[in-house]
């Protein structure tokens, strides 16, 4: 099986399009296809071997991962909590993209880490507007997330921040 970096190079070559403004970035966990402005699509690289799914991570290799279980987990969380949870997760990702676009040196958590934090610290009251829900969620996150680890909701043994440096976690 080729290493993840090589597979991502194949994907970059496959999605190359001179008509599109933007580019392709071979990132640690995915290929990011950027479009004009601040829009992008992330393409993670998975393989299936021996009936298990593996996510390709540059400099790490193939780690076991189950994207369907993660999707099912998030859908269930939305059913149990509120549709506003999806909006809060989107707002966090948009904030991340805005901050990183404004400061090219800044690298924040990925979308999955932000989604897990949004679920864990989600605060909503009936009939609140989304701005209040978002503010209460990020305030709750800021006050209560202290251990620097984020556990994969589908594999509690896995810290999905273990590849981040302590300074990146602090940021």
């Amino acid at each position: 099986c080729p290493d993840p970096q090589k597979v991502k190079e194949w994907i970059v070559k496959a999605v190359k399009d001179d008509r599109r403004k933007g580019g392709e970035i071979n990132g640690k966990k995915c290929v990011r296809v950027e479009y004009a402005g601040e829009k992008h699509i992330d393409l993670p690289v998975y393989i299936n071997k021996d009936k298990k799914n593996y996510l390709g991570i540059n400099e790490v290799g193939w780690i076991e991962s189950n994207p369907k279980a993660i999707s099912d987990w998030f859908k269930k969380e939305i059913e149990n909590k509120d549709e506003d949870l999806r909006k809060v997760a989107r707002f966090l990702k948009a904030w991340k993209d805005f901050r990183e676009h404004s400061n090219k040196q800044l690298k924040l958590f990925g979308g999955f880490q932000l989604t897990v934090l949004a679920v864990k610290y989600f605060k909503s009251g009936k009939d609140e507007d989304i701005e209040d829900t978002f503010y209460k969620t990020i305030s709750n996150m800021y006050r209560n997330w202290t251990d620097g680890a984020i556990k994969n909701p589908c594999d509690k043994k896995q810290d999905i921040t273990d590849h981040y440096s302590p300074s990146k976690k602090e940021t």
Side-chain angles (χ1 to χ4, degrees), residues 7 12 17 21 32 50 60 69 72 84 101-102 117 123 125 141 151 161:
V7 176
V12 167
D17 183 350
K21 292 179 170 72
R32 175 165 285 179
D50 301 325
V60 174
D72 292 346
D84 283 347
H101 184 76
S102 300
L117 288 172
K123 289 284 183 196
M141 188 184 309
K151 297 297 182 184
T161 63

Side-chain angles (χ1 to χ4, degrees), residues 14-113:
V15 298
K16 195 101 177 121
D17 183 350
D18 294 330
R19 297 170 294 165
R20 183 182 62 247
K21 292 179 170 72
E24 297 78 24
I25 299 169
N26 187 340
K28 188 166 185 145
K29 286 189 168 184
C30 65
V31 173
R32 175 165 285 179
V33 182
E34 293 187 337
Y35 293 87
E38 299 176 21
K39 304 294 180 192
H40 68 266
I41 299 171
D42 288 336
L43 304 171
V45 175
Y46 285 93
I47 61 170
N48 184 284
K49 185 176 180 181
D50 301 325
K51 297 184 180 180
K52 292 183 181 179
N53 295 310
Y54 295 87
L55 173 65
I57 302 176
N58 293 356
E59 300 153 19
V60 174
W62 298 100
I63 64 163
E64 192 172 342
S65 180
N66 189 340
K68 182 170 180 354
I70 291 166
S71 177
D72 292 346
W73 161 80
F74 188 57
K75 288 175 187 173
K76 187 172 176 102
E77 290 291 336
I78 290 168
E79 287 174 15
N80 292 338
K81 293 182 177 172
D82 190 295
E83 185 62 36
D84 283 347
L85 173 58
R86 184 187 316 271
K87 293 176 186 174
V88 167
R90 285 183 180 160
F91 286 168
L92 277 170
K93 293 174 192 178
W95 168 82
K96 167 206 170 8
D97 290 346
F98 173 79
R99 293 283 310 195
E100 288 179 345
H101 184 76
S102 300
N103 178 353
K104 299 293 184 201
Q105 302 303 312
L106 185 63
K107 297 293 177 209
L108 301 171
F109 283 151
F112 182 45
Q113 288 85 2

